Amino acid sequence: MAAACQFFRLIRGRELGRFWAPSVLCQNCCLFHHPCHGAYQPLANSDSRWNQSRAYRTSIARPTYYLTPPQVNSILKANEYSFKVPEFDGKNLSSVMGFESNQLPANAPIEDRRSAATCLQTRGMLYGVFDGHAGCACAQALSERLFYYIAVSMLPHETLVELENAVESGRPLQPILQWHKHPNDYFSREASSLYFNSLRTYWQELLDLSTPGEKPDVSEALVNAFKRLDNDISLEAQVGDPNAFLHYWVLRVAFSGATACVAHVDGNDLHIANTGDGRAVLGVQEPDGSFSAMTLSNDHNAQNESEVMRVRSEHPRSETKTVVKQDRLLGLLMPFRAFGDVKFKWSIELQRRVLESGPDQLHENEHAKFIPPNYHTPPYLTAEPEITRHRLRPQDRFLVIGSDGLWETLHRQEVVRIVGEYLTGVHQQQPISVGGYKVTLGQMQGLLQERKARVSSTFEDQNSATHLIRHAVGSNEFGTVDHERLSKMLSLPEELARMYRDDITIIIVQFNPHVIGSQQN
Amino acid sequence: MHSCVWSCRALSPALLPRLFSETRCCGHRLDHQGQWGSIRFLTTAKDSHPTPLPGQARVVICGGGIVGTSVAYHLAKLGWTEIVLLEQGRLGAGTTRLCAGIVSVAKPITIESQMANYSNSLYERLEEETGVKTAFVRTGSLCLAQNQDRFLSLKRLASRLKVLGIACDVIKPKDVAKLHPLVNIHDLVGALHLPGDAVVSPPDVNHALAVAAARHGVQIHERTSVNHVLVEKGHVTGVETDRGPIECEYFVNCAGQWAYELGQSSEVKVSVPLHGCEHFYLLTKPLQEPLPPSTPVVMDMDGRIYVRAWQGGVLSGGFEKNPKPIFTEGRNQLEIQNMQEDWDHFEPMLNGLLRRMPSLDSCEIHQLVNCPESFTPDMRCLMGETPGVHGYFVLAGMNSSGLSFAGGAGKYLADWMTYGYPSANVWPLDIKRFGNLQSSRTFLRHRVMEVTPLLYELKVPRWDFQTGRQLRTSPLYDRLDTQGARWMEKHGFERAKYFVPAGKDLLALDQSKTFYKPDWFDIVGAEVKCCKEAVCVIDMSSFTKFELTSSGDQALELLQRLCANDLNVPVGHIVHTGMLNERGGYENDCSVVRLSKNCFFIISPTDQQVHCWSWLKRHMPSDPQLHLEDVSWKYTALNLIGPRAMDVLSELSYVSMTPEHFPSLFCKEMSVGYANGIRVMSMTHTGEPGFMLYIPIEYALHVYNEVMSVGQKYGIRNAGYYALRSLRIEKFFAFWGQDLDSFTTPLECGREFRVKFDKHTDFLGREALLQQRQEGVTRRFIMLVLDDHDTELDLWPWWGEPIYRNGELVGVTTSSAYSYTLERHVCLGFVSPPSLDGTPAVVTPDFINRGDYEVDIAGQRYPAKAKLYPFSSLFAQQRRRKDDMELSNFQGK
């Protein structure tokens, strides 16, 4: 009973109410995708919400079994990844010291994806968090493809010529990206040649459009890449594929959706391209050592006034009431911009045609057949990103890119505080200086030992992203991690987990203030 | 850019003392503000008159730290003129400004203790000589031991220092309390008291040296940096500075932290392998009851700290386990001035300090100083002429003992430049022990992170470096490794120590760090037994191998001039010979094979790669027909040791390998297995029967596999260098670099039979040897077999143990090993009779044969029998003695 009460508090405190109703659908959710994703508006009313929650009380209170701390750690650390940029990469000092990433599934399978890569033909590193809905297919495709589109968009004409010549003459291609992947971050082998052909068509077009000596602008490149990939996803689904599996796959990609939040760091230049409700927040260290958050992206959802205005302005006045309903696009979709989701982009006629010609599996799929209500003037959805450019300053210590699963549970200020304290604790705790004060050796020893102890407690996590997830999932009302709570949250049965938390994916990029400082001059 | 010249011409010497005593005061004021007395006043006293640089000089010294000024001082004292010292900033503004000021003789090797001892006496008399106050206080020092192993190493140090005539006492903890008021003695087992050690103010010593040097005519230019060194035909011709060029004959790189980069910016790149590390020490405010300046320095190596009295408070620093290397990508003058304090990093050392001196708890902090120091790959400094460029000398890489070494090192280098060789054996410090292969920044960065903590770590016999390994390996490395090889490194090359048999507890074996019987004892015993009774194979690819060829007989002529033995032998013969210097001392000890009439194959010890190359090059006439090539990398060398070696080889080659068909010290190119062109040599470097196979590397794996599979029925097994070492030491074979050095002549080590005085060529060193033969030798290489030494329970000898005869100190051991045949320990070493009237006495047979010899291991003396010939030759194989002696020697650590 006590346990259940605690959960009540948790849920009220987090305003996660909107997660309740999808759970109704959860029980009869079909194999192929999860219509229960939080991105879709529940059709249930608020009364059933409370009934449902009472019904769950027993199921939560039942297991008195707790996870041990090592078990908790092994769950939290299963997907953690960290990459240190080599100190001397031979070319230039990198403004990025390294990055750490992690994800914690709530859906089964997880619908979030992440990517990180170094551009080899141009400079800079790319990081992206992709939050899928209605299945993971679209997010998966983004995680594999989007960076290639971005990298190709940034290539100068000469490199494009080289690339095309290499393919033409069957020579091995110069690698474009160096991926930094966790073993769980897989790439689908089946679709790779399909993807490659689309990419090649893209760069051939770029070749025609660009002129020698021209260097593409990063912001433009990002916008083009986003739009182009979404376009390709849509086209591939329309064209289909002779291979039945691939045909089914491209349709899954197109009918599912995903948001993308991508960062490109090159020296002091930081570009954020955001589509949807992922978010990139910069951790800025104030002169007094504390951290403050600086949001570098706008969420594309109903909470964003200008976004609501934009969507409304793109459709006739008659639709003003229906286009954004219950804080959702057409009353269904939470993010106002996304990749895939052709149900919100194609005309009804096109949707019907594609579905009819599609493989049989699709016919049994109620979700795909379902046409949104009040669907009059498609497209309702776009993948065009909003670009933010930021010139890094020495006080910009790290960048947190997270899926909405993170931002719903922790305030951005809290996120930055936790990461900042973690990083300074482990790597760059604010140095002590005696200055002109009177300090005895004994006092100093005490102070140093205290600092060391603080460091070793955060040492439980070797990864700042893991540390942040631990807080996101396990923080109690006092803002400290409560093992009991953490254990309960992590031992939720698969079908219940999604009610209490969303998939969480985090990438934390740490900057090198010395390099940034020296490049500023 | 203003500069300050400081020379007789610029400033009258009479003026100098007054100027200094005035400025000394402001230096003191600075002291109280927290820094060491800076030398700033020199420029404030007289600046804005940049005296032009001279157009030419004999010597240009770069670096106005304590090392550079010491070199200038000693050169001037030796009568050199036209010495110019250039300093990029101000004198003593680098590491010297910040160093802790302790002069201690507690150093790991003898030559370093000697240098420190000389520095000590030099600094003491400087004040009187120059009138500059150096704050010299003979405080003495205490090396503390928290455990028995540390106490043992201190006792070993004590017996070594006694050989040098340096006073020291091994004392009990309660005596420590009497000498130092603050030390907590509860966890101590003992200590070593060095009453001669001292503290000084390093910038002031630097001053004093500069003043003295200036008085002797040295021109000192501050704010002048050397851009690069000009080289023509392998000789230094001048330097290019930011204030114009200077022509010179000699250049000395004393640039400390900057020495690596300065070396790289020479026209011909000079490798100065050193790397900086941050080093921290703490300054406190005066204690309630100010600590008297004469309080002894405390070195608590187990606590990783040192402590000295400083202005009523203490100065304490240490060598942490996780040092912070810096300046890997380069550095500039500014950086070294503004190093950040890092208290979190200092925390372990602060704990160490408060544990040792709990009463400091309430003492107030004055400052934490970050003073970068430069470290070298093997913890020893870099001294001497560089191998590639004549006239380019280096003295740098002091491994945080710059102050202790500067005086002595400056003197040795000045001697070296003056006479062409140093006045003591400085091979362990010679820059030629390194080559380009130790010059990688990554290697240096990783290695110094090991070296820095190692300074205060307990060093047991046969320790090896753990970082920067697997740089050079034999093609058989992986094969041997999977068969249980344990590795050590020499000159970057991995060599097997011994092979752990399958099934042995590997974890236990890695705990072989002890002063007593090591756990590999039985393993090596089995390998030795196999060498004696069956056949073993040892991969000896690390040896330095040169090929010298010529169109006519230039190659023979060169070797006849350089080698003491006669090389005019029939083709296919192997000659063991020393390459001697003018004084008859060994510059190299090698085996030379006459491959054809005008082609010679020279096999030298591993660490001779750079030294021997430069020695040969230096004496080679510039003749395009005479060609020297380093072929070390081209051949894998397998040593087949043991009575059955000939069976294995004859089965593989279908050629009879019996001594009748293949006499000793003979070389033949033949096929082994499928591989053709293998150089088979009938020598083993141990005195045991067997063969060396020099195999072109692409055949190495094939030949090894064939040898192992055919050898199976003869009981073949792998063996390592420890077995080789045991074999060669019991056969009384000396090894260059350990037993032999450039101050040892063949006559002193019983190798007169390898010197052919009558070979019709006046070889290098002949005169000196003839004279020595006339006068008799005053020191003799002997073999000591320990009696009454319990291998299980007693401390093992290593090297550097004093030798006593009838209770009188007569010499020091140079190497030792357990002889599995004699079941005794065998030490090799030099003894010389005590002189009666000041002139060295000649060694007589009676001196060796009569008299009770003892070897002092960590203070305990073990009786020993002194021998001039190996035992085996005295007993069973007396007939074969001569043949045995012809067999070779070197290698083995």
Side-chain angles (χ1 to χ4, degrees):
Chain A
M1 196 63 194
C5 290
Q6 207 171 3
F7 273 99
F8 254 96
R9 247 197 338 259
L10 152 77
I11 286 149
R12 265 210 313 262
R14 293 282 161 72
E15 296 177 306
L16 296 183
R18 62 169 180 267
F19 286 156
W20 283 108
S23 60
V24 184
L25 295 178
C26 242
Q27 281 141 346
N28 42 16
C29 89
C30 65
L31 283 173
F32 145 50
H33 75 272
H34 291 257
C36 56
H37 191 281
Y40 283 100
Q41 169 67 28
L43 300 168
N45 61 38
S46 56
D47 288 342
S48 71
R49 217 195 269 176
W50 294 113
N51 296 335
Q52 280 304 326
S53 69
R54 270 186 214 106
Y56 283 120
R57 204 182 280 169
T58 45
S59 65
I60 291 165
R62 199 181 338 121
T64 47
Y65 160 76
Y66 289 126
L67 298 171
T68 61
Q71 284 172 318
V72 165
N73 285 347
S74 75
I75 293 174
L76 290 179
K77 292 179 178 194
N79 290 317
E80 74 177 15
Y81 178 80
S82 75
F83 178 77
K84 271 192 86 163
V85 176
E87 214 174 332
F88 325 103
D89 64 348
K91 282 182 289 186
N92 45 290
L93 284 171
S94 169
S95 57
V96 175
M97 290 209 273
F99 74 90
E100 289 172 338
S101 72
N102 198 352
Q103 48 185 197
L104 180 71
N107 292 300
I110 185 168
E111 294 178 347
D112 278 7
R113 291 291 184 272
R114 60 182 158 170
S115 291
T118 308
C119 299
L120 296 176
Q121 301 298 327
T122 53
R123 305 195 325 162
M125 290 183 85
L126 287 163
Y127 310 91
V129 167
F130 312 103
D131 182 354
H133 48 257
C136 61
C138 188
Q140 173 64 30
L142 291 191
S143 73
E144 295 175 38
R145 305 179 68 181
L146 183 56
F147 286 10
Y148 278 115
Y149 279 72
I150 296 174
V152 163
S153 309
M154 289 191 295
L155 290 182
H157 183 81
E158 291 74 15
T159 319
L160 287 170
V161 172
E162 250 171 64
L163 256 155
E164 180 56 25
N165 286 346
V167 178
E168 196 94 321
S169 58
R171 275 184 284 127
L173 277 178
Q174 294 264 36
I176 299 172
L177 292 174
Q178 183 197 348
W179 292 96
H180 310 295
K181 282 199 298 190
H182 187 273
N184 290 355
D185 300 342
Y186 63 94
F187 275 15
S188 61
R189 220 174 316 141
E190 294 81 5
S192 64
S193 71
L194 174 77
Y195 289 170
F196 178 76
N197 287 335
S198 299
L199 182 69
R200 189 180 170 196
T201 316
Y202 178 41
W203 85 49
Q204 283 168 337
E205 278 173 35
L206 283 177
L207 252 181
D208 293 341
L209 292 172
S210 66
T211 51
E214 188 183 18
K215 219 180 148 221
D217 174 67
V218 178
S219 308
E220 262 175 52
L222 286 166
V223 173
N224 291 343
F226 272 58
K227 282 159 69 177
R228 175 65 181 211
L229 176 57
D230 192 47
N231 205 27
D232 281 357
I233 287 173
S234 165
L235 273 179
E236 284 157 13
Q238 292 173 40
V239 173
D241 197 280
N243 176 333
F245 176 82
L246 271 185
H247 192 175
Y248 181 43
W249 173 253
V250 294
L251 287 170
R252 276 177 64 189
V253 170
F255 276 91
S256 62
T259 69
C261 186
V262 172
H264 176 259
V265 191
D266 173 13
N268 286 5
D269 277 331
L270 170 65
H271 285 86
I272 306 288
N274 185 42
T275 291
D277 53 5
R279 199 186 285 171
V281 171
L282 199 60
V284 183
Q285 192 165 29
E286 300 296 334
D288 66 354
S290 68
F291 286 89
S292 64
M294 178 176 170
T295 311
L296 291 180
S297 64
N298 296 316
D299 297 352
H300 300 137
N301 57 17
Q303 276 70 49
N304 182 343
E305 206 54 48
S306 63
E307 197 59 13
V308 175
M309 302 259 282
R310 175 186 68 82
V311 172
R312 288 207 167 120
S313 71
E314 287 171 1
H315 300 278
R317 287 190 71 87
S318 55
E319 289 185 48
T320 307
K321 286 228 169 103
T322 51
V323 73
V324 178
K325 209 166 123 190
Q326 286 166 323
D327 281 356
R328 292 177 180 236
L329 191 67
L330 295 176
L332 291 168
L333 194 64
M334 278 209 343
F336 281 16
R337 298 189 193 191
F339 282 87
D341 279 328
V342 289
K343 275 152 35 70
F344 295 87
K345 292 175 180 165
W346 290 352
S347 63
I348 297 175
E349 184 189 312
L350 180 59
Q351 292 190 34
R352 293 234 164 91
R353 185 159 56 75
V354 169
L355 285 175
E356 271 157 27
S357 65
D360 300 339
Q361 294 103 309
L362 219 52
H363 296 178
E364 294 145 25
N365 186 342
E366 291 301 321
H367 165 68
K369 281 184 190 162
F370 172 78
I371 300 285
N374 303 312
Y375 196 77
H376 305 299
T377 49
Y380 285 89
L381 195 60
T382 173
E384 178 167 346
E386 213 175 331
I387 309 288
T388 315
R389 180 169 182 266
H390 178 75
R391 199 158 166 76
L392 290 172
R393 306 155 298 172
Q395 65 265 38
D396 299 335
R397 292 308 171 93
F398 55 87
L399 176 73
V400 183
I401 312 171
S403 58
D404 60 343
L406 169 70
W407 307 111
E408 279 160 358
T409 49
L410 288 177
H411 190 265
R412 62 199 176 109
Q413 190 55 49
E414 191 67 1
V415 166
V416 165
R417 184 189 64 80
I418 291 165
V419 175
E421 281 177 7
Y422 173 85
L423 290 179
T424 46
V426 179
H427 307 293
Q428 49 184 40
Q429 203 166 19
Q430 188 71 9
I432 307 184
S433 170
V434 179
Y437 301 105
K438 288 188 172 180
V439 186
T440 68
L441 294 183
Q443 288 167 338
M444 180 55 91
Q445 187 186 29
L447 180 62
L448 292 175
Q449 278 170 350
E450 200 180 291
R451 279 161 72 93
K452 202 164 111 182
R454 206 155 65 210
V455 168
S456 52
S457 77
T458 48
F459 250 121
E460 196 178 4
D461 295 316
Q462 269 98 49
N463 185 308
S464 52
T466 311
H467 189 65
L468 192 51
I469 290 184
R470 190 186 295 277
H471 275 271
V473 178
S475 276
N476 59 18
E477 46 271 53
F478 307 111
T480 55
V481 175
D482 175 348
H483 175 74
E484 197 179 318
R485 174 193 206 99
L486 194 57
S487 162
K488 277 182 200 150
M489 286 295 268
L490 292 177
S491 55
L492 290 173
E494 227 171 55
E495 66 273 16
L496 295 186
R498 185 58 191 84
M499 295 168 46
Y500 296 98
R501 53 190 170 85
D502 193 358
D503 292 334
I504 298 178
T505 299
I506 300 168
I507 296 180
I508 295 168
V509 184
Q510 211 187 335
F511 300 115
N512 188 339
H514 302 293
V515 173
I516 289 172
S518 67
Q519 286 180 355
Q520 242 180 359
N521 306 327
Chain B
M1 174 64 57
H2 48 188
S3 78
C4 157
V5 171
W6 199 25
S7 71
C8 289
R9 261 171 281 172
L11 207 61
S12 102
L15 255 165
L16 276 168
R18 196 174 59 82
L19 181 64
F20 288 132
S21 54
E22 273 172 17
T23 48
R24 213 19 246 167
C25 306
C26 73
H28 260 299
R29 230 173 297 132
L30 277 168
D31 276 0
H32 291 295
Q33 282 159 21
Q35 287 295 328
W36 286 107
S38 123
I39 312 201
R40 197 158 304 160
F41 58 84
L42 271 177
T43 27
T44 50
K46 57 174 301 320
D47 55 1
S48 72
H49 292 298
T51 311
L53 291 184
Q56 64 175 44
R58 259 194 97 194
V59 192
V60 171
I61 299 166
C62 175
I66 193 151
V67 173
T69 48
S70 168
V71 172
Y73 169 85
H74 285 100
L75 281 175
K77 280 242 158 176
L78 282 164
W80 288 59
T81 52
E82 294 183 75
I83 304 168
V84 174
L85 190 149
L86 304 178
E87 162 60 44
Q88 58 175 347
R90 300 196 183 91
L91 284 184
T95 306
T96 304
R97 180 173 65 104
L98 296 166
C99 93
I102 300 169
V103 186
S104 171
V105 293
K107 299 295 169 202
I109 55 172
T110 300
I111 183 74
E112 291 180 335
S113 300
Q114 254 169 318
M115 294 197 304
N117 196 33
Y118 172 85
S119 305
N120 191 317
S121 52
L122 172 71
Y123 301 158
E124 188 180 18
R125 64 171 193 261
L126 261 184
E127 188 164 332
E128 198 183 330
E129 194 177 320
T130 61
V132 178
K133 284 203 171 15
T134 57
F136 182 94
V137 184
R138 195 174 291 287
T139 57
S141 73
L142 292 161
C143 299
L144 308 182
Q146 290 186 20
N147 53 54
Q148 285 299 337
D149 270 354
R150 173 71 67 186
F151 201 29
L152 279 176
S153 78
L154 291 179
K155 285 176 179 168
R156 293 182 60 97
L157 175 65
S159 36
R160 249 192 26 237
L161 291 177
K162 276 181 191 148
V163 174
L164 296 175
I166 297 170
C168 59
D169 309 294
V170 174
I171 58 174
K172 295 197 180 76
K174 64 173 195 284
D175 301 323
V176 174
K178 281 181 206 152
L179 288 162
H180 198 293
L182 301 178
V183 173
N184 164 24
I185 58 164
H186 297 303
D187 53 353
L188 297 182
V189 295
L192 179 67
H193 181 222
L194 300 158
D197 282 359
V199 296
V200 295
S201 156
D204 294 331
V205 170
N206 195 4
H207 247 142
L209 285 169
V211 169
R215 268 191 211 153
H216 283 94
V218 175
Q219 295 185 53
I220 299 171
H221 294 264
E222 293 185 304
R223 294 175 177 277
T224 308
S225 41
V226 173
N227 292 339
H228 62 271
V229 179
L230 306 169
V231 179
E232 216 169 273
K233 288 184 192 150
H235 284 266
V236 170
T237 57
V239 295
E240 192 72 55
T241 74
D242 58 354
R243 294 178 54 219
I246 306 178
E247 276 177 36
C248 65
E249 288 170 58
Y250 295 93
F251 177 74
V252 190
N253 180 347
C254 300
Q257 299 277 343
W258 294 270
Y260 176 91
E261 282 172 329
L262 182 58
Q264 294 298 305
S265 66
S266 161
E267 276 189 339
V268 175
K269 278 189 185 171
V270 167
S271 162
V272 185
L274 55 82
H275 193 292
C277 254
E278 293 181 41
H279 175 66
F280 295 91
Y281 64 81
L282 169 78
L283 298 173
T284 71
K285 300 205 169 131
L287 306 187
Q288 295 237 292
E289 193 182 321
L291 205 57
S294 59
T295 316
V297 174
V298 171
M299 280 176 270
D300 180 6
M301 302 201 221
D302 298 305
R304 300 192 160 275
I305 54 153
Y306 58 80
V307 189
R308 61 162 280 198
W310 185 78
Q311 296 191 356
V314 299
L315 179 163
S316 169
F319 296 96
E320 63 276 30
K321 277 187 178 153
N322 53 336
K324 293 163 70 176
I326 43 164
F327 302 146
T328 306
E329 314 90 338
R331 66 211 69 188
N332 61 48
Q333 172 76 35
L334 275 177
E335 274 176 283
I336 202 164
Q337 312 277 12
N338 302 321
M339 299 299 301
Q340 297 294 315
E341 58 189 342
D342 185 344
W343 277 100
D344 295 299
H345 193 72
F346 193 71
E347 193 249 5
M349 289 171 274
L350 181 60
N351 291 346
L353 174 65
L354 289 180
R355 177 178 166 190
R356 187 53 50 223
M357 300 181 181
S359 59
L360 289 180
D361 193 83
S362 57
C363 176
E364 240 175 76
I365 293 167
H366 178 84
Q367 197 187 359
L368 184 65
V369 182
N370 182 353
C371 155
E373 299 270 2
S374 43
F375 295 87
T376 62
D378 66 352
M379 245 178 4
R380 294 168 191 171
C381 75
L382 303 168
M383 181 194 283
E385 191 169 14
T386 54
V389 185
H390 287 295
Y392 192 123
F393 285 79
V394 175
L395 187 56
M398 290 294 161
N399 296 294
S400 81
S401 301
L403 181 68
S404 299
F405 293 158
K411 174 177 176 289
Y412 286 133
L413 191 78
D415 287 345
W416 194 334
M417 292 172 68
T418 311
Y419 306 115
Y421 55 89
S423 52
N425 172 32
V426 296
W427 170 247
L429 316 176
D430 194 329
I431 192 166
K432 286 198 278 292
R433 71 189 185 277
F434 294 122
N436 276 328
L437 71 95
Q438 284 92 354
S439 206
S440 143
R441 286 313 274 172
T442 316
F443 166 78
L444 289 171
R445 183 182 169 92
H446 290 178
R447 179 54 73 77
V448 297
M449 287 175 75
E450 181 182 3
V451 162
T452 310
L454 204 57
L455 285 169
Y456 270 11
E457 225 140 75
L458 190 67
K459 284 173 278 295
V460 296
R462 284 168 269 281
W463 54 272
D464 295 305
F465 287 108
Q466 303 300 312
T467 52
R469 294 289 296 267
Q470 294 182 329
L471 178 57
R472 301 166 74 205
T473 55
S474 143
L476 304 176
Y477 179 86
D478 280 344
R479 283 300 307 272
L480 302 180
D481 198 54
T482 51
Q483 295 177 73
R486 288 286 175 277
W487 301 92
M488 63 182 191
E489 170 249 10
K490 184 100 179 180
H491 200 60
F493 210 105
E494 295 291 328
R495 313 195 295 186
K497 296 191 281 195
Y498 47 82
F499 287 79
V500 179
K504 270 265 181 187
D505 185 354
L506 300 182
L507 277 177
L509 262 168
D510 285 333
Q511 311 292 321
S512 60
K513 298 174 170 52
T514 170
F515 288 100
Y516 294 90
K517 181 180 147 182
D519 49 10
W520 43 258
F521 181 80
D522 294 326
I523 296 174
V524 174
E527 287 174 10
V528 167
K529 189 162 181 277
C530 185
C531 287
K532 294 265 181 195
E533 293 170 4
V535 54
C536 274
V537 55
I538 305 183
D539 183 348
M540 310 221 323
S541 308
S542 69
F543 280 2
T544 299
K545 302 171 270 283
F546 293 152
E547 252 173 32
L548 185 69
T549 48
S550 63
S551 54
D553 54 3
Q554 301 98 316
L556 178 65
E557 262 174 37
L558 174 68
L559 287 178
Q560 287 287 54
R561 167 104 180 103
L562 290 180
C563 301
N565 212 335
D566 189 0
L567 287 214
N568 198 359
V569 289
V571 169
H573 278 243
I574 304 170
V575 178
H576 292 310
T577 177
M579 290 188 185
L580 310 181
N581 52 34
E582 288 82 352
R583 293 152 289 139
Y586 278 99
E587 287 296 332
N588 185 13
D589 189 31
C590 56
S591 309
V592 182
V593 186
R594 192 167 197 180
L595 293 176
S596 69
K597 193 162 173 296
N598 295 319
C599 178
F600 294 87
F601 189 65
I602 305 165
I603 304 159
S604 315
T606 310
D607 50 2
Q608 275 276 1
Q609 193 162 22
V610 180
H611 181 257
C612 179
W613 177 268
S614 94
W615 183 256
L616 283 167
K617 277 283 177 192
R618 194 158 121 191
H619 293 91
M620 253 167 85
S622 59
D623 179 351
Q625 309 290 343
L626 181 61
H627 184 62
L628 180 68
E629 189 189 357
D630 186 344
V631 293
S632 304
W633 59 276
K634 282 189 183 171
Y635 292 94
T636 296
L638 288 184
N639 194 351
L640 287 179
I641 303 182
R644 310 309 296 270
M646 63 172 128
D647 301 314
V648 175
L649 264 192
S650 57
E651 199 167 314
L652 276 170
S653 57
Y654 291 93
V655 173
S656 177
M657 302 296 286
T658 56
E660 292 77 49
H661 295 90
F662 206 124
S664 178
L665 286 182
F666 197 70
C667 168
K668 209 153 61 173
E669 274 206 3
M670 50 193 273
S671 56
V672 177
Y674 301 154
N676 202 4
I678 312 294
R679 288 177 187 163
V680 179
M681 304 178 191
S682 44
M683 64 169 179
T684 60
H685 304 293
T686 58
E688 300 298 325
F691 298 91
M692 285 293 302
L693 309 184
Y694 280 87
I695 310 159
I697 48 167
E698 67 265 38
Y699 299 143
L701 200 57
H702 171 75
V703 172
Y704 176 79
N705 288 342
E706 289 295 302
V707 164
M708 289 310 269
S709 69
V710 167
Q712 210 147 37
K713 59 174 171 285
Y714 301 104
I716 200 165
R717 59 175 291 165
N718 290 301
Y721 269 77
Y722 284 4
L724 187 87
R725 177 192 167 77
S726 167
L727 288 168
R728 71 110 179 151
I729 286 179
E730 75 180 23
K731 284 271 164 48
F732 196 25
F733 282 7
F735 156 52
W736 192 93
Q738 178 109 47
D739 306 314
L740 305 181
D741 57 47
S742 56
F743 286 81
T744 308
T745 69
L747 306 190
E748 290 163 358
C749 56
R751 292 188 175 184
E752 201 175 338
F753 64 92
R754 285 191 194 154
V755 179
K756 299 289 190 297
F757 288 109
D758 46 1
K759 69 172 179 178
H760 305 302
T761 311
D762 182 20
F763 61 87
L764 270 179
R766 183 166 182 269
E767 282 306 310
L769 289 185
L770 280 174
Q771 193 189 343
Q772 194 179 38
R773 189 165 67 168
Q774 192 97 43
E775 291 170 356
V777 296
T778 56
R779 63 200 279 262
R780 185 65 166 87
F781 192 50
I782 60 162
M783 171 168 167
L784 292 153
V785 181
L786 294 194
D787 284 333
D788 226 8
H789 179 275
D790 190 326
T791 310
E792 300 289 331
L793 300 175
D794 285 333
L795 286 171
W796 276 34
W798 187 6
W799 50 267
E801 290 91 11
I803 302 170
Y804 290 89
R805 178 184 181 271
N806 298 341
E808 198 176 8
L809 180 73
V810 289
V812 185
T813 64
T814 51
S815 56
S816 74
Y818 182 81
S819 161
Y820 293 88
T821 326
L822 301 171
E823 295 181 332
R824 295 268 163 73
H825 265 288
V826 176
C827 302
L828 307 183
F830 285 93
V831 290
S832 44
S835 65
L836 299 171
D837 53 350
T839 55
V842 169
V843 179
T844 60
D846 267 2
F847 177 76
I848 306 293
N849 295 329
R850 307 210 176 149
D852 298 323
Y853 279 88
E854 286 172 312
V855 174
D856 174 334
I857 307 174
Q860 188 163 358
R861 293 187 192 176
Y862 297 92
K865 280 203 179 61
K867 300 284 169 199
L868 283 173
Y869 301 101
F871 273 71
S872 47
S873 56
L874 287 179
F875 307 127
Q877 303 157 319
Q878 203 146 21
R879 263 181 313 114
R880 287 180 48 200
R881 195 181 86 203
K882 261 202 119 171
D883 300 9
D884 264 350
M885 296 298 285
E886 291 288 322
L887 291 166
S888 174
N889 45 16
F890 48 71
Q891 272 340 60
K893 190 172 178 183

